Amino acid sequence: MTGLLTIGAFAKASRLSPKALRLYDELGLLVPARVDPGTGYRHYAPEQLEQARLVAWLRRLGMPLARVRAVGALPAAEAAREIRAYWDQVEADTAGRRDLAAFLVDHLSGKDTAMPHDTGTLGLRYAALSDTGLVRETNQDTVYAGSRLLAVADGCGSGGGSASAAAVDALKRLDAAGDRKGTVAPGDLLNALQDAVEQADRAVRGVAGESPVPAETGTTLTALLWTGSRLALVHIGDSRAYLLRGGDLFRITHDHTLVQALLDEGRIGPEEVASHPQRALLARALPLNGTAAPDLRLHDVRAGDRYLLCSDGLSTVLSTAEIRRVVTETADPERAVRELVDRANRCGGPDNVSCVLADVVHEDLPDTP
C-alpha cells in the first residue's frame, strides 16, 4: 500500500501515543491498515485519522474502552445519541458524588455535631395523608410519619404501589434507631442512610421483578431522618421537600426529571415546564440505574421550622404560592395536610396526592429511672 503513515506519524497526527495505538490494536479498537510481516511495524491509512481522533476525544471524556469500541462502530447519528446518553449518565453520577462530597465535608468538619439554634430538647410534631385523587383508580403513593422518620414515595408502573410501599418499609427501621431523644451518632448517620437506601433499592428490585413490565416499575423516594439536632435528607425522583422558615417557603430538593435537566441546561424556559410532553419522565428513581444515586444532605433545624414532603400530585397541581399560603396559615399539621389534599382535589385531583407535614418544636421528655 502507498500513502500509509508510520505509527509515529499517525500518532502525531491523531494525538494518540504509539503506546495507546498498540493497545487499541490489541483490543481491536483501531486496527492498522498494514502490519509489516517481518518487523511487526504498524502502518495506518490517512482515512483512519477521523476514527482515531474520535477515539481520542471519547477517551478524554472518560468513556470506557468497551463503550468506545461500540460507539466507533455506529453511524454518526446513532453515535451522537450514544455519546449524549453516556454524558447524561456521567452528569447524574457527578451530581450524586457532589452531594456525597458535601455531606462528607459537613460530617468530617464536625458540622453534624452542632447543637440546635435553640436551647432545650427539640422534637417533631407531624401529620401525614395520602389520597387517590379523582382520576386514578388506585393509589400508588406511600407516606410515613414518625418521631424520627418522614417519607413520601410515588410509585410508577404496574407494580408502583408495591414499589413505593417496599421503599418506605425499608426505611422504617430508621424510626427505631437512636436514643430516646432521637439522637443518631454522627459517625453512624452516613452508614445508616446508605444501608437504608440499599435495602430500599433491593426491595424495589424485588417488586419490579414480579411485575409484568419490570423496566417500568419503580418509585420516587423523599425522606427526612431526624438526628436530634438536624434533619438528614434522602431524595430521588420528583417528589419534593419544602422548608417554611421565617414566613418564607424554600424547596430543598431538586427534581430528577428530564424536563428539569432541560431547564437546568437552558434548553427550555420555566414557562414550558408545565406543558412539556415529557414532564413526567423521571431521570432518576428506585431501583437505581447504573451509577445514579439519591441526593444526601443535612439541614440545620430551628424551633418553628415546618417541613413539607409531597408527591408531584400536589406540587404540579397547586402553585407554590398556594402551598405556602396553606402551610403558613394553618397551624395544626393534621388540618394543614387535609387542606392541601382537598385543594388538589378541588383542582381536579388528576393524580394521587400525598403529603407529610412536620413542625420542629420544643418538647420536654420525662426522665427515665
Side-chain angles (χ1 to χ4, degrees):
M1 292 183 184
T2 59
L4 295 181
L5 301 174
T6 65
I7 190 171
F10 191 77
K12 184 176 181 180
S14 65
R15 298 188 178 181
L16 289 169
S17 68
K19 180 179 179 180
L21 288 172
R22 286 190 286 270
L23 173 63
Y24 297 160
D25 177 18
E26 294 170 4
L27 295 175
L29 186 60
L30 188 60
V31 179
R34 178 177 178 272
V35 178
D36 188 287
T39 64
Y41 209 65
R42 296 169 173 84
H43 295 80
Y44 295 83
E47 54 267 27
Q48 289 183 282
L49 279 172
E50 184 175 355
Q51 181 186 5
R53 288 169 182 151
L54 176 61
V55 170
W57 292 331
L58 294 177
R59 289 299 289 155
R60 286 175 189 167
L61 286 178
M63 185 177 286
L65 287 171
R67 197 159 183 174
V68 170
R69 183 189 300 111
V71 170
L74 295 173
E78 292 182 30
R81 286 194 292 270
E82 181 66 18
I83 293 169
R84 165 53 63 186
Y86 168 75
W87 194 247
D88 287 344
Q89 180 180 337
V90 170
E91 289 183 327
D93 179 40
T94 300
R97 287 186 287 125
R98 181 182 63 241
D99 292 335
L100 179 57
F103 185 102
L104 288 171
V105 167
D106 280 357
H107 173 62
L108 295 174
S109 63
K111 289 183 180 180
D112 57 357
T113 62
M115 294 302 293
H117 290 79
D118 302 86
T119 59
T121 301
L122 296 179
L124 298 178
R125 185 178 60 156
Y126 48 83
L129 184 62
S130 184
D131 189 81
T132 304
L134 303 180
V135 175
R136 301 292 178 89
E137 294 183 357
T138 60
N139 189 353
Q140 293 191 315
D141 289 358
T142 299
V143 297
Y144 179 82
S147 60
R148 298 183 183 96
L149 178 70
L150 314 169
V152 169
D154 180 358
C156 56
S158 59
S162 297
S164 68
V168 172
D169 283 345
L171 264 65
K172 284 182 181 178
R173 66 180 182 82
L174 295 174
D175 203 30
D179 61 24
R180 69 185 183 90
K181 295 181 180 180
T183 302
V184 177
D188 295 336
L189 181 57
L190 182 58
N191 288 337
L193 289 173
Q194 186 64 40
D195 289 347
V197 169
E198 289 175 359
Q199 288 186 23
D201 186 54
R202 287 194 295 270
V204 174
R205 286 182 187 278
V207 171
E210 297 175 357
S211 67
V213 187
E216 296 180 3
T217 297
T219 185
T220 70
L221 179 63
T222 301
L224 287 167
L225 173 65
W226 176 244
T227 70
S229 60
R230 307 186 88 185
L231 281 167
L233 170 73
V234 179
H235 167 69
I236 190 164
D238 64 351
S239 295
R240 291 182 176 180
Y242 296 88
L243 164 63
L244 180 70
R245 174 179 287 174
D248 294 322
L249 186 68
F250 306 94
R251 176 151 63 102
I252 59 174
T253 53
H254 194 71
D255 291 347
H256 299 144
T257 60
L258 173 63
V259 167
Q260 183 65 56
L262 295 175
L263 183 63
D264 293 342
E265 294 167 5
R267 295 164 64 182
I268 62 173
E271 69 283 354
E272 300 175 77
V273 170
S275 60
H276 196 282
Q278 295 178 306
R279 62 187 178 276
L281 187 61
L282 294 172
R284 279 194 262 171
L286 294 178
L288 299 174
N289 182 17
T291 55
D295 296 337
L296 298 176
R297 289 191 180 90
L298 290 171
H299 288 270
D300 290 311
V301 298
R302 301 177 186 176
D305 284 350
R306 170 167 276 192
Y307 286 86
L308 170 67
L309 278 62
C310 65
S311 63
D312 67 335
L314 183 76
S315 60
T316 61
V317 175
L318 300 187
S319 68
T320 302
E322 190 169 5
I323 292 174
R324 178 188 174 278
R325 187 158 50 249
V326 174
V327 299
T328 301
E329 297 175 357
T330 310
D332 179 61
E334 290 279 0
R335 287 183 55 207
V337 294
R338 284 199 302 270
E339 180 64 20
L340 289 168
V341 170
D342 287 346
R343 290 195 182 209
N345 284 334
R346 289 200 295 270
C347 290
D351 197 358
N352 307 147
V353 54
S354 300
C355 49
V356 174
L357 198 70
D359 294 330
V360 179
V361 297
H362 287 291
E363 65 175 18
D364 294 322
L365 293 178
D367 293 331
T368 55

